[in-house]
Amino acid sequence: ESQRRLQSVRDRFGRRADQSLLLWLYECWFAGAHVDVWLDSSEAQQLGGLSQDPAIDRGLGRSTGRHSLWTRLVGSVRAAYTAEELLLPRASWSSRLEGVQYLTELSMADILFGNTPNSRCLDDLDRACCTWDTWQALRRSAPPLYAKALASIPWNRNLRVLALKAFIWDYRLKPSSPAQGSSSCVETQPREQAACGDDPCTICHEELGRNSCELECGHEFHRECIRTWLLLHSSTCPVCREHAVLPADIPARSNSQPSKARRWKRSGI
């Protein structure tokens, strides 16, 4: 039973080979590493190559007593690395997905190592606000049209990182209709509607096509990806954190029209 439980932890929280450590940490938190996975030192030592980083994996079992997986991950990462070693500055990002990922990395580095109020958000990462340094790094690395869009937002110390992620993800760059051979674009404001057919699914990062599902918040995913996400990880949209439920009675569709999931209404709200 113990080994099956540990294998479940490996399957649920194992880091992908191409995933940065900061993005992996965020995904571990979002998947519930701080809520329902508690390990003693012996169990943590048996997780093996959970992070695919020997220094971090060795440190998971360092603390005695019983702690959440999240506490062990954070302690091990802090002991093994500095912010400068983990955060690789990006000269530029070219897609919405890259922009959201870079903002996540900037925010995680600040929460883990920064001397800012965000250090108090360790148990609720989505409460973090965008610091001036994070804001500047994001804008400097943004492609011109995204940089122009970000310039329309007045920065303030209460600007939530989560809201900024949703803004980037919902922002649309549409091809204009210039003379033949030109590749210029025009931008539109963020909107709550389905993604274009060539947008990536933010869960698996593969291109969206058929058999997709659009949540009521307007964000679209592969149907099986969002079904698995809602069943196993969270009852919220991975992009904007709106609560949603995927109806079990909607059959998968094979045409290009995404099926609709309904928003979950919390009582008293």
Side-chain angles (χ1 to χ4, degrees):
E1 179 61 34
S2 174
Q3 289 305 311
R4 282 198 298 271
R5 176 171 168 271
L6 291 176
Q7 185 57 50
S8 174
V9 172
R10 296 185 196 103
D11 294 341
R12 183 176 168 188
F13 297 100
R15 177 182 165 221
R16 299 190 305 270
D18 62 343
Q19 192 174 32
S20 77
L21 285 167
L22 290 172
L23 286 177
W24 170 69
L25 275 178
Y26 180 82
E27 290 194 4
C28 286
W29 171 81
F30 192 69
H34 62 306
V35 175
D36 59 359
V37 183
W38 294 78
L39 304 164
D40 61 30
S41 177
S42 174
E43 290 171 325
Q45 290 172 0
Q46 297 178 60
L47 288 176
L50 189 71
S51 72
Q52 299 196 38
D53 183 290
I56 294 175
D57 291 329
R58 283 196 302 269
L60 292 179
R62 184 175 294 119
S63 298
T64 58
R66 197 163 185 82
H67 302 281
S68 70
L69 175 60
W70 178 242
T71 297
R72 291 187 176 279
L73 290 173
V74 169
S76 187
V77 168
R78 281 174 164 170
Y81 292 103
T82 64
E84 291 73 21
E85 291 171 325
L86 284 183
L87 181 61
L88 301 178
R90 301 194 188 196
S92 64
W93 47 271
S94 58
S95 69
R96 297 180 303 157
L97 180 61
E98 289 180 2
V100 169
Q101 288 177 336
Y102 189 37
L103 179 54
T104 300
E105 291 173 332
L106 290 166
S107 176
M108 283 299 302
D110 184 55
I111 291 170
L112 289 171
F113 302 102
N115 186 24
T116 72
N118 282 339
S119 62
R120 298 194 292 267
C121 299
L122 193 58
D123 290 326
D124 189 356
L125 304 182
D126 283 342
R127 286 179 47 243
C129 292
C130 181
T131 65
W132 178 249
D133 288 342
T134 293
W135 178 245
Q136 290 291 84
L138 182 69
R139 286 190 57 185
R140 281 196 302 265
S141 60
L145 290 177
Y146 277 105
K148 180 180 177 182
L150 291 171
S152 69
I153 304 175
W155 177 86
N156 66 77
R157 66 184 70 243
N158 297 317
L159 176 61
R160 287 287 179 91
V161 169
L162 182 59
L164 194 51
K165 288 182 188 178
F167 179 89
I168 294 171
W169 189 258
D170 289 340
Y171 200 77
R172 292 292 185 266
L173 300 178
K174 285 188 170 182
S176 60
S177 52
Q180 187 173 1
S182 173
S183 59
S184 62
C185 294
V186 295
E187 67 272 17
T188 65
Q189 291 302 310
R191 58 194 178 130
E192 290 189 350
Q193 66 183 60
C196 301
D198 57 353
D199 284 340
C201 169
T202 57
I203 298 174
C204 70
H205 301 167
E206 297 293 332
E207 182 178 308
L208 280 172
R210 298 186 173 188
N211 294 320
S212 60
C213 178
E214 179 191 348
L215 300 182
E216 247 189 38
C217 58
H219 298 119
E220 188 177 351
F221 312 90
H222 292 126
R223 183 180 178 82
E224 288 309 311
C225 288
I226 193 60
R227 181 187 294 280
T228 301
W229 181 271
L230 294 174
L231 288 174
L232 300 183
H233 295 294
S234 172
S235 61
T236 62
C237 168
V239 176
C240 68
R241 305 302 187 263
E242 281 282 351
H243 285 260
V245 175
L246 186 65
D249 57 349
I250 294 181
R253 299 188 181 185
S254 59
N255 56 28
S256 59
Q257 294 298 316
S259 57
K260 290 269 189 175
R262 60 185 172 87
R263 187 175 298 171
W264 178 64
K265 303 291 186 182
R266 286 175 287 185
S267 58
I269 296 180

